[in-house]
Amino acid sequence: MTNQFLVTSKKDMEDRGWEQLDFLLISGDAYVDHPSFGPAIIGRLLEEQGYKVGIIAQPDWRSTADFKKLGKPRLAVLVTAGNLDSMLNKFTAAKKYRSTDSYSPGGQAGRRPDRATIVYCNRIREIWKQIPLVVGGIEASLRRFAHYDYWSDSIRRSILIDCRADLLIYGMGEKQIKEVAEQLSSGINIAHIRDIRGTCYSADNLDHLWEDYIETPDFEAVSLDKYSFAQAFQTQYEEQDPIRGKTVVQRHGEAYIIQNPPALPLSTEEMDEIYNLPYQRTWHPSYDKDGGVPAIQEVKFSLVSHRGCFGGCSFCAIVSHQGRIIQSRSQQSIINEAILITKMSDFKGYIHDVGGPTANFRMPACSHQEVRGACKGRHCLAPEPCKNLSTDHSDYLQLLRTLRALPGVKKVFIRSGLRYDYLLAAKDSEFLTELCEHHVSGQLKVAPEHIAAKVTRLMGKSGKETYVKFMNAFKRTNEALGKEQYLVPYFMSSHPGSSLKEAVELAEFLRDLGYQPEQVQDFIPTPGSLSTVMYHTGLNPLTGEKVYVAKDPHEKKLQRALMQYRNPKNYDLVLEALVKAHREDLIGFEPKCLIRPRRDVANGKPRFGTAEKVIPSRKNAIKKQASRR
Ligand code: SF4
């Protein structure tokens, strides 16, 4: 019997009686046949269209041998770095190597090169110079124009120039790959495939562009001038709309990168078809010896209900990949998948998640979006919800009720992030009540990310007042239900706009909450996000306002330490941060103080300052404090 996975070896091809593939997929992730993994979706979709597809996952990039093992495909090679940008996958915010990689067998790090898309494409070009080469996935998608690269601290060219592919698919890619496959199989030369929405290509002139297009500052300008970079990003960001977005062009030397408008949103039927493909829902058996691929654990018993996000968080690039318009699966399709899950031998009765980028966005933000596109220069939710925003949670509620009533299901959790400002904007508290009653396992993770107004505004998040309102509503609801459940808020340090002053403000909020986060997330300037542009330019590209950015690693350490001010290991850093922020009033013995003064080794009296040095300006304050006591 042939195995039910996509072809990964010559033996698989022989078993199917295939001499040549139509499409060869190269992926930076291990092959997991599940709809949460991009290569599996693209491979299954092409297979369903009747194409012969093979996948080479995590080839050894140091030579061409692995890339050749399934032979030359008839139509094209498709390359992706995997579910994450390869640099983000490999490096921490401090630019150190991560010790594990959950998308690799056994969680082993080191199974992919830096800048995997470029490296894989170079190997392919060494083997087959003229073969049609198409790149896609998050790395290609978010690096499609000249972009800031945190790991090299430089502006890099469009990845399309560096990888020498013929076509770049941006966004989720299903519509695009179907059209690319159709055109290639009908004999059209890839150099002439220039009309597919959701793709970018390079050309040496713009004579063929008949429709309206916008040209952004070119690579040279954005490399030299931060205002030009911010301006280019603003155009790219604002035109990222399938309904009203225009073609966007950026010159790179003699070549032009041309981005066609985004792919149209998938209909519910199209979404259902994609999630209904015959995935095996696990890793390829060749990884059994390594203990499998850890990333599956997060999603194995979870359900994707939709794509897209109208939340507008500036540090997230989902808008540039999935767009602002929500695309949902039908309830029936999700329920069918849930039934499949309940039949899996290791299912213990718990559905881990039902959601998408934001769990409670099941429907488009408003009816205007589908006709006119999402508003340019306006957020749907923050700082205040738009008056046109539809806040109806009834479809999601109905779905959750059906899922938890399925035979074999003990509990359905919601683990995707919830937008609590959207939840609070709903006309009644029905959703919050059922959320607390049925879908929280003692702790609900939420992401206020910060509380200083200056920072939350730049983050595109609602402010402290909204979070406090939600905290109170959550508490009241649980009390009414007789449940003891807690919020676990996530906060981010050193986001653009956050100086030590704002970091201290956050620390004071944590003090008042009586909460110390166990883990602290430093802002990482990932490719393609609005916050990344702020980080690089010190400007908000949407308004032109100047933005403070903490770039110095030591200052970042201070901001991070403030969030865990109670940890004795952070004492010196917190002390230094408070002194630098002129907030010595928070060093002392009063309840509002974050830390106590250090005891002088010689006389046992309290003192301000680091272990090495007493800060002279504080000596009087110590005296005053001592005399008050
Ligand atoms: S009208 Fe309001 S809800 Fe609709 S897209 Fe515009 S900002 Fe968003």
Side-chain angles (χ1 to χ4, degrees), residues 76-113:
V77 179
L78 313 174
V79 169
T80 173
N83 270 11
L84 289 181
D85 186 277
S86 57
M87 299 304 280
L88 182 63
N89 180 292
K90 292 184 75 168
F91 296 96
T92 66
K95 304 187 184 181
K96 301 220 163 68
Y97 276 106
R98 294 186 197 275
S99 53
T100 58
D101 175 355
S102 64
Y103 291 92
S104 290
Q108 281 169 32
R111 302 282 294 249
R112 72 187 79 221

Side-chain angles (χ1 to χ4, degrees), residues 324 365-366 368-369 372-375 378-380 386 388-389:
R324 262 169 90 177
C366 68
H368 302 286
Q369 267 193 355
R372 302 194 307 240
C375 294
R378 206 167 130 198
H379 274 188
C380 303
C386 167
N388 294 321
L389 183 69

